[in-house]
Amino acid sequence: MAGQMQAHELQEAVMEEESFGPMPIKRLEASGISASDIKKLEEGGYYTIEAIAFTPKKELITIKGISEAKADKILAEAAKLVPMGFTTATEFHQKRSDIIQLTTGSKELDKLLGGGVETGSITEIFGEFRTGKTQIAHTLAVTCQLPIDHNGGEGKCLYIDTEGTFRPERLLAVAERYGLSGQDVLDNVAYARAYNSDHQTQLLIQASAMMAESRYALLIVDSATALYRTDYSGRGELAARQMHLARFLRLLLRLSDEFGIAVVLTNQVVAQVDGAAMFSADPKKPIGGNIMAHASTTR
């Protein structure tokens, strides 16, 4: 009898754990989706049911072996498992109360941000060189590992570096400040160097696979726009650059919705050289235009 009770409690604990966070895509097998189709979806960069539900049909049918009829069935089954309809403002307010803030290491900056960097959204940090953007990113890579009651996220960090400015030594210095084990802090940061804008987007697909396997609290891209400045040049390629950047930002937003992680982007600035610059107090503005501005929740 006692053994049965323990087994029942264990089953309940497993079910509770599964109900928290994103649902693995393998659960679609119970809804009649074949294992081979699920494997094709994983190869296409979809590892959770939420990822499927948030994706338009035209994206799914680009995956080799997924026909329009299969895409319709997959989306229909995903929609049954992921709530995507209307909800009351009360329920949404309750959901918002579960959001945690990650400390930046500065009390005054945390106060400006309403408690810290918010999970489930994109925060953009822009400025000239030597203004501390990368330093804040390094600090957040450590503070996201702190317990929740210490303004942390109790999770790992993914760090995408596009400029070659990542320094593990800085992480060790911040870890020492918070009394954390330097080795554990380094082990909990997954680092990747991006070499072009296509590679930068590809790394996000790898990141989604890693997030499906382990608990991550933060994704940092430092800097989000550096590679776009060199891969696309002149006004002739401006439209192509903005479309590629928009897809990259949309994928970031999907990851923040899907896994509830905080996304932090650093951004470079450009000097305004037109006639309006003489009337502006600060002629510098962040790169990326309105597409970048609209994607960021906090700027």
Side-chain angles (χ1 to χ4, degrees):
M1 185 72 179
Q4 284 181 338
M5 284 180 69
Q6 282 181 341
H8 181 67
E9 284 173 8
L10 183 63
Q11 189 178 0
E12 280 188 346
V14 169
M15 285 176 69
E16 188 180 338
E17 191 177 327
E18 283 185 351
S19 67
F20 180 76
M23 293 177 278
I25 199 170
K26 290 193 183 335
R27 281 181 65 175
L28 283 176
E29 278 191 68
S31 303
I33 308 299
S34 69
S36 62
D37 285 342
I38 288 173
K39 191 179 179 191
K40 288 170 191 169
L41 290 168
E42 286 180 331
E43 286 169 358
Y46 300 94
Y47 298 93
T48 67
I49 297 174
E50 285 84 355
I52 296 293
F54 299 157
T55 302
K57 186 170 78 170
K58 69 174 186 177
E59 294 286 333
L60 290 183
I61 59 179
T62 59
I63 299 170
K64 191 177 179 182
I66 302 294
S67 64
E68 196 165 336
K70 280 183 180 178
D72 284 331
K73 187 182 178 187
I74 291 166
L75 285 169
E77 295 304 327
K80 289 176 187 175
L81 296 167
V82 180
M84 293 173 67
F86 285 98
T87 183
T88 64
T90 305
E91 287 174 356
F92 187 69
H93 180 62
Q94 179 60 42
K95 202 174 175 183
R96 288 276 307 164
S97 66
D98 295 335
I99 287 173
I100 58 173
Q101 274 92 20
L102 309 177
T103 179
T104 60
S106 162
K107 286 181 182 177
E108 292 304 314
L109 186 52
D110 284 350
K111 200 184 294 182
L112 280 171
L113 292 170
V117 174
E118 192 178 272
T119 53
S121 67
I122 296 176
T123 301
E124 180 192 347
I125 303 167
F126 70 87
E128 294 179 84
F129 67 97
R130 58 161 175 71
T131 51
K133 302 184 298 296
T134 299
Q135 182 58 47
I136 292 174
H138 280 74
T139 304
L140 285 166
V142 177
T143 60
C144 74
Q145 301 178 38
L146 291 169
I148 289 172
D149 55 1
H150 285 75
N151 276 33
E154 289 184 11
K156 300 178 183 178
C157 170
L158 282 155
Y159 200 112
I160 297 175
D161 178 18
T162 67
E163 299 178 291
T165 53
F166 179 76
R167 297 291 180 270
E169 299 82 11
R170 292 194 200 176
L171 299 185
L172 292 172
V174 178
E176 191 178 335
R177 171 192 166 183
Y178 286 100
L180 299 173
S181 161
Q183 190 58 52
D184 289 345
V185 164
L186 293 182
D187 287 342
N188 287 332
V189 177
Y191 166 79
R193 174 75 191 273
Y195 294 99
N196 59 62
S197 52
D198 287 335
H199 183 217
Q200 187 173 312
T201 303
Q202 189 61 37
L203 285 172
L204 289 191
I205 295 169
Q206 289 181 33
S208 65
M210 293 166 71
M211 288 181 208
E213 296 294 325
S214 187
R215 159 79 180 146
Y216 285 85
L218 176 66
L219 169 62
I220 295 168
V221 185
D222 181 29
S223 121
T225 51
L227 295 173
Y228 285 94
R229 297 186 87 169
T230 51
D231 290 0
Y232 299 87
S233 56
R235 288 187 179 273
E237 291 188 295
L238 183 61
R241 184 192 84 172
Q242 292 302 86
M243 281 300 295
H244 197 293
L245 180 60
R247 281 195 296 272
F248 175 73
L249 294 169
R250 178 67 193 89
L251 192 49
L252 279 175
L253 196 57
R254 195 191 86 190
L255 290 177
S256 70
D257 287 336
E258 197 179 327
F259 297 100
I261 60 163
V263 175
V264 172
L265 309 176
T266 67
N267 194 6
Q268 299 177 349
V269 293
V270 63
Q272 236 176 319
V273 292
D274 55 13
M278 61 190 295
F279 301 108
S280 174
D282 186 1
K284 293 174 289 295
K285 60 181 183 179
I287 297 168
N290 290 328
I291 284 175
M292 193 79 179
H294 289 309
S296 305
T297 312
T298 307
R299 194 173 219 204

